[in-house]
Amino acid sequence: MAIGARQITMAEDDARAGRKRPQRGDRVVRHARVGHQPGGAHRVQIAVQIAHGAAIAARMTETNSPLDTTRAQIAQAAKLAGRKPGDVTLIAVSKTHAAAAIRPLLDAGHRVFGENRVQEAATKWPELRAAYPGVELHLVGQLQSNKADEAVALFDAIHSVDRPSLVDALAKAMDKAGRRPACFVQVNIGEEAQKGGCAIPDLPALIDQARAVGLPVAGLMCVPPADIEPAPYFALLAKLARDHGLDGLSMGMSADYSTAVTLGATHVRVGSALFGARASATA
Ligand SMILES: *Cc1c(COP(=O)(O)O)cnc(C)c1O
């Protein structure tokens, strides 16, 4: 099925990620107000225009697989922003999907996947990894400190480092395991009470702590607020990363990854555009 058709059937509300997706035909592009946007407004506007163009282009390539289409959109957004497509890693978020749904992507040569639950990943991935060498697994969901050991053993990157107690637990787990998955500090970029992520004012101290205890801090991650144009939040995350000398930017999901790429995303986390809608809105 083509990506345009898929998007209509996507679950409207992804409670875990906390995002509501606009339906096709919606014309609401509300503008977020983010405090500090150095030179951002113009770039953000361009990014929005580019993303809309990319979405149209993607609908025209109906014979391609969702994976091909997604890769093409990433490449197009990167080029339009003067970036190299190879600088953007596509994380195929396979949460809730069984091995049978994941294999076609592995067969097509894709190797970078994301899961949001340690337990689910531990059940699904050992077998797939044995069958397909070179898999890189990213944890994109919230992590409890008591699962740090298991997460460090299973994942190659952790995108949800968001509090001092978790930093300590991960440092201990990494020392014990002698294995150091790349860490992204998750930022509560829209300052939403119900969302995970470090508050923006607490970010400098958390990054300092993570570096001091030896976590390999690769970059920042965010899930912007639902129902609002995400570009200003992506721009803000990019600025925060620059301020802290971090290169990695994990931002952009099915509904907005092209916009994220134009604003500097190095890792996009794409689920439903690749796998179709998830069965449960809470998954
Ligand atoms: C589920 C999830 C994604 C993928 O969401 P889609 O909208 O299906 O692309 C990305 N990031 C996080 C943190 C998620 O939980």
Side-chain angles (χ1 to χ4, degrees):
M1 207 194 302
I3 189 165
R6 262 173 200 286
Q7 277 169 346
I8 297 172
T9 62
M10 275 201 294
E12 242 188 79
D13 185 14
D14 183 343
R16 181 151 284 258
R19 296 221 46 180
K20 267 209 159 176
R21 295 183 185 80
Q23 296 294 290
R24 188 128 71 100
D26 274 0
R27 297 215 152 242
V28 224
V29 178
R30 273 180 280 147
H31 288 279
R33 285 192 193 83
V34 179
H36 195 56
Q37 286 293 330
H42 183 60
R43 287 182 56 204
V44 162
Q45 226 178 8
I46 290 171
V48 171
Q49 281 160 10
I50 288 170
H52 286 181
I56 290 162
R59 281 200 284 276
M60 284 159 49
T61 57
E62 306 225 330
T63 51
N64 288 343
S65 69
L67 179 62
D68 289 338
T69 304
T70 306
R71 282 175 172 166
Q73 281 211 56
I74 290 170
Q76 185 183 358
K79 267 191 207 142
L80 287 168
R83 306 182 59 206
K84 289 193 222 98
D87 292 345
V88 183
T89 300
L90 170 60
I91 303 172
V93 179
S94 51
K95 64 189 187 194
T96 78
H97 295 288
I102 300 172
R103 282 179 194 277
L105 271 77
L106 287 160
D107 288 334
H110 195 74
R111 286 295 181 271
V112 186
F113 291 85
E115 292 283 344
N116 70 334
R117 290 180 187 181
V118 174
Q119 228 43 60
E120 184 182 339
T123 313
K124 263 172 14 190
W125 279 97
E127 201 177 320
L128 286 169
R129 269 189 155 143
Y132 296 89
V135 164
E136 194 181 300
L137 204 54
H138 293 242
L139 177 65
V140 301
Q142 287 188 13
L143 177 60
Q144 293 171 312
S145 296
N146 63 8
K147 295 202 172 132
D149 283 323
E150 213 176 342
V152 164
L154 254 175
F155 292 96
D156 302 293
I158 296 171
H159 292 241
S160 48
V161 179
D162 65 353
R163 57 194 189 278
S165 58
L166 181 59
V167 165
D168 282 338
L170 284 170
K172 272 191 203 130
M174 288 185 196
D175 288 344
K176 221 181 345 171
R179 195 182 137 68
R180 305 203 163 264
C183 290
F184 290 79
V185 175
Q186 182 175 353
V187 181
N188 187 349
I189 201 77
E191 302 175 301
E192 297 172 280
Q194 78 284 9
K195 276 252 174 87
C198 168
I200 293 172
D202 300 337
L203 186 61
L206 192 65
I207 292 173
D208 285 349
Q209 182 201 349
R211 285 173 166 156
V213 297
L215 296 196
V217 183
L220 302 182
M221 178 274 210
C222 76
V223 180
D227 281 336
I228 195 164
E229 168 55 48
Y233 296 102
F234 293 153
L236 178 59
L237 194 75
K239 182 200 179 295
L240 291 170
R242 273 197 308 278
D243 288 350
H244 290 95
L246 294 168
D247 295 328
L249 277 175
S250 169
M251 58 187 196
M253 298 164 49
S254 290
D256 53 24
Y257 64 85
S258 290
T259 303
V261 168
T262 62
L263 291 166
T266 59
H267 295 72
V268 292
R269 312 177 308 267
V270 180
S272 35
L274 293 170
F275 294 99
R278 287 178 289 277
S280 156
T282 58

